[in-house]
Amino acid sequence: MHNINPSVKAGTVTIAAIAVAFLFDPVTLLLYTGWTMAVTLLLGKIQIRKYFLYLLPFTIFALGMLVSTLLFAKTPAHPSVTQQFLFWNLPSETVQDALALAIRVFSYATLSLLFVLTTDKVAFILSLIQQCRVSPKLAYGILAGYRFLPLLTNELTTIRSAHLVRGARTKTSRLTRYKQYTIPLLASAIRKAERTAVAMESKGFTGERDRTYYRSYHIRWTDWVFGFVMICALGLCIVFSKSFQ
């Protein structure tokens, strides 16, 4: 999974996510969610504990959506078919819609984790430039901004410690303290941006497409096989679900 071309992987996940948006069968969504989780865990070299830890917020959100849909769904006065779900007797359509919405959250979550946990960010940016013809100025700007986030976090810790040593953090509110951090943090970010711009210019970066790359990425037949298998798996889940209805 880590060796799949990032552009092909992103396109495959996007197509699968769009297709999932038009599915309302909870069985189909559940099957494809299980397939995506299996592919990620078996081929992605990811720790199971770490994976389910990332999946926990989506689980809470899915449960909240399930309960809210069951509680606040508009039900007919005399439903034709009722179904017992937990402690409620509800119309079967309401139960299926609630399950479909909740499982769809899992589908989007597993597709997102499939891409995020198995894709290097730098490789994704370079693949966008080389395969998708994205402007290098835009792509490297996004990459530089992404790289600045951890630096700004460390800089904020340094500024907070400096204020604490000098006694600036006395009886002020938290909002006032964060206002005091804003100007030094902004000045530090401007200095780092200027240094980055000077470094890129000194190394001959002009934003042109016709340039050499230290790391080149190409689309191989295994990348197309991955996309084909993921899309076909969704189709098989639909057919398998329809055959048992």
Side-chain angles (χ1 to χ4, degrees):
M1 287 299 300
H2 295 273
N3 297 326
I4 300 297
N5 186 280
S7 296
V8 176
K9 193 187 303 181
T12 303
V13 170
T14 303
I15 294 173
I18 294 174
V20 165
F22 294 94
L23 296 177
F24 297 94
D25 182 19
V27 178
T28 303
L29 294 171
L30 184 61
L31 290 174
Y32 193 67
T33 301
W35 163 261
T36 308
M37 293 176 62
V39 170
T40 306
L41 293 174
L42 295 177
L43 304 179
K45 298 179 182 179
I46 300 170
Q47 295 180 0
I48 298 178
R49 180 181 178 183
K50 179 180 178 181
Y51 181 81
F52 284 102
L53 185 63
Y54 280 119
L55 202 60
L56 181 60
F58 299 100
T59 305
I60 298 174
F61 181 73
L63 290 176
M65 181 172 290
L66 175 65
V67 174
S68 61
T69 304
L70 292 174
L71 290 178
F72 301 105
K74 187 176 181 180
T75 58
H78 302 285
S80 57
V81 179
T82 59
Q83 181 177 347
Q84 184 175 2
F85 185 81
L86 297 180
F87 304 103
W88 300 293
N89 287 322
L90 299 170
S92 59
E93 294 83 1
T94 303
V95 176
Q96 289 184 1
D97 291 342
L99 289 175
L101 289 173
I103 300 174
R104 188 177 297 167
V105 173
F106 275 106
S107 299
Y108 286 130
T110 52
L111 286 171
S112 301
L113 292 177
L114 169 66
F115 178 77
V116 171
L117 298 179
T118 62
T119 305
D120 181 66
K121 284 72 179 176
V122 178
F124 179 52
I125 295 297
L126 294 177
S127 178
L128 288 178
I129 297 173
Q130 298 176 22
Q131 272 76 56
C132 300
R133 309 301 294 173
V134 175
S135 172
K137 291 183 179 180
L138 175 62
Y140 280 110
I142 295 174
L143 182 61
Y146 176 79
R147 291 294 190 184
F148 276 158
L149 292 179
L151 297 177
L152 292 178
T153 303
N154 296 333
E155 192 70 21
L156 179 61
T157 303
T158 303
I159 294 172
R160 186 185 293 114
S161 300
H163 282 213
L164 182 61
V165 168
R166 289 166 176 81
R169 187 179 178 182
T170 54
K171 295 183 179 180
T172 58
S173 63
R174 179 170 297 184
L175 180 60
T176 304
R177 290 198 300 269
Y178 278 112
K179 287 182 179 179
Q180 295 174 352
Y181 302 151
T182 302
I183 300 301
L185 191 62
L186 181 61
S188 176
I190 293 174
R191 287 196 300 267
K192 285 182 171 59
E194 290 179 351
R195 293 170 186 170
T196 303
V198 170
M200 294 176 69
E201 187 176 357
S202 65
K203 291 176 172 58
F205 179 77
T206 59
E208 297 179 356
R209 296 183 183 275
D210 298 331
R211 55 171 294 161
T212 58
Y213 295 93
Y214 179 72
R215 288 189 289 178
S216 298
Y217 294 90
H218 305 280
I219 299 178
R220 302 164 298 177
W221 67 271
T222 53
D223 303 325
W224 295 117
V225 168
F226 166 76
F228 180 77
V229 169
M230 290 296 295
I231 301 302
C232 287
L234 180 58
L236 290 176
C237 291
I238 296 174
V239 173
F240 185 82
S241 176
K242 295 297 183 182
S243 63
F244 284 91
Q245 290 183 357

